[in-house]
Amino acid sequence: MSGLVVLAVDDEPPALDELRYLLDRQDEVAEVHAATDATGALRELNSRRVDAIFLDINMPGLSGLELAGVLARYAQPPAIVFVTAHEDKAVDAFEVGAVDYLLKPLREVRLAQALGRIRASLDARAKPAASTPPPAPSGAPRAASDDVIPVEMSGVTSLVRRDSISWVEAVGDYARLHAESGAHLVRIPLSTLESRWQDKGFARVHRSYLVALPMVTGLRTTGSGTVVSVRANGASEAVELPVSRRQVRDLKDRLIRDPLRQYRSPAGRGDV
């Protein structure tokens, strides 16, 4: 594949000029086009081939997220990278299929990383259909790897897979993910993760804790109540977490019947 044709979209002229300048400096980029709103972006997309769109979120008319929703209906949509000053929209951005999420002010090293992800995404899309694995039989359990949480660390956005997370801890309006790669603080309420993941093998065991059922090794009663044991997982150490009295029965039922537990757990069951 030749150099990338990209479209920069931002309603603020100084920000748009800077984005165009930085994109022009990248060896990976062959052409840079620009638009100041969603209408102009759609006009550009309908007039030429565009490999990737670098998109602001807050714009007059359609927002960047709304435009991404429109692009998702295209037969061959461009790869989407959001460029914004608002770090709290990262989850929404990845939910609409963004390849990357860059925070202003832009750094060239991050821009280069985003272009690398775009190239990888386009290369994967171009692979012959025969290389695509066949779909799982109807009713078969699926791996819980189709969701990720973007984590910003030192200006670099990393993606933490849901199926690498052992348990989640509430920290005010934030949540701390305990995963194979370590502990990551994200600006997402625990209640939001609970609603998104309750049918993906996770259970709320306490007002402060959400656990991955496949990581549970057992329940036991202590003098102060019930605790659930969660096994070690990479950088995440084994822990025991309190279980609310009203959650004990539901947790036991989930541990017995949850199909994702058997799919991911090495033993297929815990010491419940």
Side-chain angles (χ1 to χ4, degrees):
M1 184 183 293
S2 57
L4 298 172
V5 177
V6 301
L7 175 62
V9 186
D10 199 309
D11 64 305
E12 298 180 359
L16 182 58
D17 289 344
E18 180 188 19
L19 179 55
R20 293 184 66 178
Y21 170 75
L22 293 175
L23 285 168
D24 270 327
R25 288 171 54 87
Q26 298 291 324
D27 294 336
E28 193 80 15
V29 176
E31 299 178 31
V32 182
H33 302 276
T36 57
D37 57 21
T39 301
L42 290 171
R43 188 180 302 117
E44 291 287 337
L45 290 167
N46 290 331
S47 65
R48 59 172 51 86
R49 175 185 66 87
V50 172
D51 297 310
I53 179 170
F54 286 76
L55 185 58
D56 190 20
I57 287 183
N58 290 337
M59 297 188 298
L62 285 179
S63 71
L65 290 169
E66 290 169 332
L67 176 57
V70 173
L71 298 181
R73 304 190 191 105
Y74 280 38
Q76 290 292 328
I80 297 173
V81 173
F82 283 101
V83 182
T84 178
H86 303 280
E87 62 181 18
D88 60 330
K89 298 295 185 181
V91 172
D92 295 330
F94 284 105
E95 284 185 342
V96 296
V99 172
D100 209 339
Y101 188 90
L102 307 182
L103 291 177
K104 298 177 181 178
L106 284 176
R107 295 185 301 129
E108 288 196 65
V109 64
R110 280 293 288 121
L111 192 58
Q113 290 173 352
L115 289 166
R117 290 179 179 178
I118 289 169
R119 178 68 75 184
S121 175
L122 295 176
D123 288 347
R125 186 188 300 176
K127 286 182 179 178
S131 65
T132 303
S138 176
R142 292 183 57 193
S145 59
D146 57 348
D147 197 7
V148 295
I149 293 291
V151 176
E152 191 75 19
M153 294 184 297
S154 302
V156 177
T157 302
S158 300
L159 303 182
V160 177
R161 300 190 327 274
R162 182 183 62 223
D163 62 3
S164 75
I165 297 170
S166 299
W167 58 286
V168 186
E169 173 186 9
V171 185
D173 291 333
Y174 289 70
R176 180 173 285 113
L177 312 176
H178 294 268
E180 289 179 5
S181 54
H184 308 283
L185 190 66
V186 295
R187 190 181 294 179
I188 308 174
L190 192 66
S191 58
T192 299
L193 293 178
E194 177 190 10
S195 63
R196 287 172 54 188
W197 293 354
Q198 60 185 353
D199 60 344
K200 306 294 185 180
F202 281 75
R204 185 77 170 262
V205 299
H206 186 274
R207 65 182 181 180
S208 298
Y209 302 110
L210 185 70
V211 300
L213 298 178
M215 305 302 294
V216 172
T217 58
L219 292 173
R220 69 182 183 88
T221 302
T222 68
S224 57
T226 302
V227 296
V228 58
S229 300
V230 181
R231 63 185 172 89
N233 178 28
S236 178
E237 297 181 353
V239 295
E240 287 191 333
L241 304 173
V243 181
S244 299
R245 184 164 24 185
R246 63 187 182 87
Q247 299 285 3
V248 172
R249 180 176 295 276
D250 181 64
L251 179 57
K252 287 183 177 180
D253 289 343
R254 290 285 306 274
L255 289 171
I256 293 172
R257 63 181 169 80
D258 198 293
L260 289 175
R261 175 174 167 76
Q262 291 192 3
Y263 183 78
R264 284 180 53 198
S265 175
R269 52 176 165 63
D271 303 323
V272 180

